[in-house]
Amino acid sequence: MTGAQRTPPSRGAGWLACGLLALALAAVPAPAWAAGGSLEAVAVQGAQVLPARLGLAPGGPRLREVSGLAWDAPRGLWWTVSDRGLLVGWQVDFGPGRPQAQARVALPLEGQPNAESVEMLPAAEAGSPADLAVLDEAGARWWRFDVQGRALGSTPLPAAAGLDYRRGVEALVRHSQRGLVVVPQRPAKGAVAAGGPGGHTLVAEDGGRWTLAAAGRGASIKAAHADAGGRLLLLEKVADAPLERRWWLRELDLAACDRQGRCEAPAIPLASPALAEDDNLEGLACRDDGHCLAVSDDGRLPQPRTLLLWLQLRRGR
């Protein structure tokens, strides 16, 4: 692991808390999933406003500014991180009937980094458990943490001409062939993508770089997910658009981009009565069977709430 820092700078006194939280999403049958075929539509199958505090005790940790989501298959947990450095491991039951989710772990990340995204990493040593890659927006680097929240080292985000991570970066994914891929929130200066200027930029730790036309003026990438086959799923927000055309999913295959790294990806609308005007989605993850979750950041809401969405992806044959 490289980087000048071993432990992220502290942002206040740490805490350690474990809680158990039960919540329910709308009762719907398990979604049908086709591994092949292009993404055609997305439907919100259920939604729940998460409580402001985790656990049964009054002094449980506050759930605020959640900004990342990752699926941990070996442990059967969905991990979330927050701007305030809180790591939570959720167990979610998608079985028949009324699904249930429980917060099995809630603890601080060492040093409380400005955590904006979380991704699973292969184990550092054979036979040892997998770790977490956490994107530190303020430090323009990613950290390796174990699931106890201990910092194991850090690496600066990959540099590329025109990129300025100070303009915001909230999406980090692990691609099956290219390693970690970073997607800044806003288009790089001077970026030209398929379809014209103002394209999003994707940068891999192996030096790869790609561009993608934005779905609309002022669009930003809020979260991303990569499946086992290497397809990337980007969550895009067009802030000035009406609510029903504000959120989009963009799926692309880096191997299908042209020689100049220009990519194309249809914009699939994500709309639901569960989404309010001020909801700000910042986390996205999927299991291999097509169950997906998205989570919101409540940081700027007049009446803060953290919204969890259960998504169903519909694919062509």
Side-chain angles (χ1 to χ4, degrees), residues 16 96 105 119 121 134 147 178 227 240 246 256 293 298 306:
L16 181 62
V105 180
E119 180 63 289
L121 288 173
V134 174
V147 295
R178 308 306 296 258
D227 68 17
D240 296 334
R246 182 169 302 166
L293 293 176
D298 69 345
T306 300

Side-chain angles (χ1 to χ4, degrees), residues 6-300:
R6 172 69 183 176
T7 302
S10 177
R11 300 177 61 209
W15 67 88
L16 181 62
C18 293
L20 186 62
L21 169 67
L23 59 94
L25 301 178
V28 297
W33 171 254
S38 59
L39 181 64
E40 293 184 343
V42 58
V44 176
Q45 299 288 8
Q48 178 67 34
V49 177
L50 304 183
R53 288 193 181 274
L54 299 178
L56 301 177
R62 291 179 62 84
L63 188 67
R64 294 294 311 276
E65 300 183 69
V66 175
S67 299
L69 188 63
W71 164 239
D72 183 349
R75 297 183 180 92
L77 294 175
W78 300 79
W79 294 102
T80 61
V81 294
S82 76
D83 295 13
R84 303 185 180 195
L86 179 67
L87 175 68
V88 182
W90 303 85
Q91 184 179 9
V92 181
D93 180 12
F94 290 105
R98 189 175 179 84
Q100 295 286 325
Q102 295 178 323
R104 294 297 187 185
V105 180
L107 45 79
L109 294 170
E110 184 180 356
Q112 294 177 254
N114 178 208
E116 291 288 347
S117 183
V118 61
E119 180 63 289
M120 299 306 302
L121 288 173
E125 300 178 0
S128 53
D131 294 323
L132 304 172
V134 174
L135 175 62
D136 179 0
E137 183 179 44
R141 60 181 55 238
W142 66 269
W143 287 87
R144 180 185 284 266
F145 285 93
D146 63 20
V147 295
Q148 284 74 46
R150 292 186 292 254
L152 306 177
S154 72
T155 301
L157 298 181
L163 287 184
D164 184 356
Y165 291 119
R166 293 173 298 180
R167 302 179 67 212
V169 54
E170 296 179 334
L172 174 75
V173 294
R174 185 170 66 85
H175 190 270
S176 55
Q177 286 83 44
R178 308 306 296 258
L180 288 174
V181 177
V182 182
V183 191
Q185 261 192 276
R186 296 173 180 83
K189 296 178 179 179
V192 177
H200 298 298
T201 302
L202 298 82
V203 184
E205 61 180 346
D206 68 358
R209 177 170 177 164
W210 304 266
T211 58
L212 173 70
R217 185 178 180 86
S220 60
I221 299 297
K222 307 297 290 183
H225 167 77
D227 68 17
R231 292 183 296 196
L232 300 184
L233 190 64
L234 307 181
L235 177 62
E236 185 175 22
K237 178 181 182 180
V238 182
D240 296 334
L243 183 57
E244 65 273 11
R245 298 183 60 81
R246 182 169 302 166
W247 295 99
W248 305 87
L249 288 181
R250 313 284 302 278
E251 186 177 70
L252 67 152
D253 181 354
L254 297 180
C257 301
D258 69 19
R259 294 184 179 180
Q260 287 73 44
R262 293 175 300 202
C263 308
E264 295 184 0
I268 307 297
L270 170 58
S272 168
L275 281 167
E277 187 70 28
D278 293 325
D279 285 325
N280 186 33
L281 300 176
E282 289 196 0
L284 174 69
C286 300
R287 295 194 325 198
D288 290 343
D289 61 2
H291 291 289
C292 299
L293 293 176
V295 69
S296 70
D297 179 342
D298 69 345
R300 298 183 179 181

